[in-house]
């Protein structure tokens, strides 16, 4: 008979509880916003005691930070993976742009979460700073490194170019999907991605 150590059971149980709390927190933040969410409500949504929530998270801001950092890591890994970006820029940038927009458009939970984040940014600027540190900064750094490594592109400022690339795609998602502007300023995503890729890679011509 295999004996499971008590410490291992406790750790597994603790991990399950944390995941339970994070799922409950996501539900509450999406439904009530940051200001309208309390640790009490998170405990009820997660099906745990308030003491259990506080045993894992010191306060609501800390809980929000862990939740968003978890989401950011998932998004980053699905976009870039664990290996450095490699390949021909025209192909890589087009694939990255397509994947990023598909991810943002198809993940309704993420779209709703971003609405909450933007809506609360005026009262809680530290929340949006979490987004910048955990999601936007790593993406920009990875893209900057890729562009800087491809000297054939003849890009004078890879860091600024990385911002142009990512910022254009995020703006497209926000105006088309988050702000429901598809019928007002319609455009196929392929057109935008192709034009953006051409602008960046055309520097070498």
């Amino acid at each position: 008979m295999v004996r499971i150590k008590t410490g291992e059971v406790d750790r597994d149980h603790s991990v399950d509880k944390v995941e339970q709390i994070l799922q409950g927190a996501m539900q509450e933040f999406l439904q009530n916003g940051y200001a309208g969410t309390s640790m009490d409500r998170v405990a009820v949504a997660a099906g745990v005691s308030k003491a259990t929530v506080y045993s894992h998270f010191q306060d609501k801001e800390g809980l929000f930070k862990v939740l968003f950092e978890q989401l950011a890591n998932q998004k980053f890994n699905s976009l870039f993976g664990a290996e450095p970006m490699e390949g021909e820029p025209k192909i890589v940038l087009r694939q990255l742009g397509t994947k990023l927009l598909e991810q943002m458009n198809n993940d309704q939970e993420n779209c709703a979460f971003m609405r909450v984040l933007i809506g609360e940014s005026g009262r809680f600027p530290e929340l949006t700073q979490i987004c910048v540190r955990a999601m936007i900064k790593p993406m920009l750094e990875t893209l900057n490194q890729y562009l800087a490594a491809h000297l054939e592109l003849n890009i004078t400022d890879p860091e600024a170019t990385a911002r142009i690339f990512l910022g254009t795609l995020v703006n497209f998602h926000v105006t088309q999907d988050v702000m429901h502007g598809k019928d007002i300023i319609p455009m196929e995503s392929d057109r935008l991605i192709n034009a953006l890729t051409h602008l960046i890679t055309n520097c070498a011509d």
Side-chain angles (χ1 to χ4, degrees), residues 184-196:
I184 303 171
I185 46 175
M187 176 175 285
E188 293 297 322
S189 59
D190 285 348
R191 283 183 60 197
L192 183 84
I193 294 168
N194 288 336
L196 185 56

Side-chain angles (χ1 to χ4, degrees), residues 4-141:
I4 301 175
K5 296 179 181 178
T6 303
E8 292 176 352
V9 173
D10 291 343
R11 282 195 297 273
D12 290 344
H13 183 68
S14 179
V15 170
D16 290 342
K17 285 294 182 184
V18 168
E19 187 58 34
Q20 216 173 315
I21 293 168
L22 291 174
Q23 289 177 1
M26 173 63 85
Q27 175 183 319
E28 288 301 310
F29 284 132
L30 292 183
Q31 184 173 333
N32 303 299
Y34 183 80
T37 294
S38 66
M39 297 292 264
D40 285 342
R41 296 182 72 114
V42 170
V44 172
V48 300
S49 68
K50 184 177 178 181
T52 298
V53 175
Y54 276 107
S55 71
H56 293 287
F57 301 98
Q58 182 178 357
D59 51 29
K60 184 170 68 171
E61 184 178 343
L63 174 56
F64 184 93
K65 181 179 179 181
V66 171
L67 176 61
F68 192 86
E69 286 177 344
Q70 183 185 77
L71 289 174
N73 286 334
Q74 291 171 355
K75 301 303 177 190
F76 183 88
N77 290 333
S78 67
L79 275 174
F80 297 100
E83 300 298 324
M85 292 175 65
E86 293 181 350
E88 183 183 345
K90 286 184 178 180
I91 297 174
V92 170
L93 293 176
R94 188 175 290 112
Q95 289 177 340
L96 178 61
T98 300
K99 196 171 183 179
L100 179 58
L101 282 183
E102 285 178 349
Q103 188 180 92
M104 289 190 291
N105 294 339
N106 295 333
D107 190 340
Q108 295 304 311
E109 185 176 73
N110 179 68
C111 190
F113 196 75
M114 292 305 294
R115 286 194 185 102
V116 170
L117 197 62
I118 293 170
E120 301 280 21
S121 62
R123 287 184 294 175
F124 305 102
E126 63 276 10
L127 299 184
T128 45
Q129 288 179 334
I130 292 172
C131 171
V132 174
R133 288 194 188 97
M135 181 178 286
I136 298 175
K137 185 179 179 182
M139 288 184 178
L140 286 174
E141 288 175 345

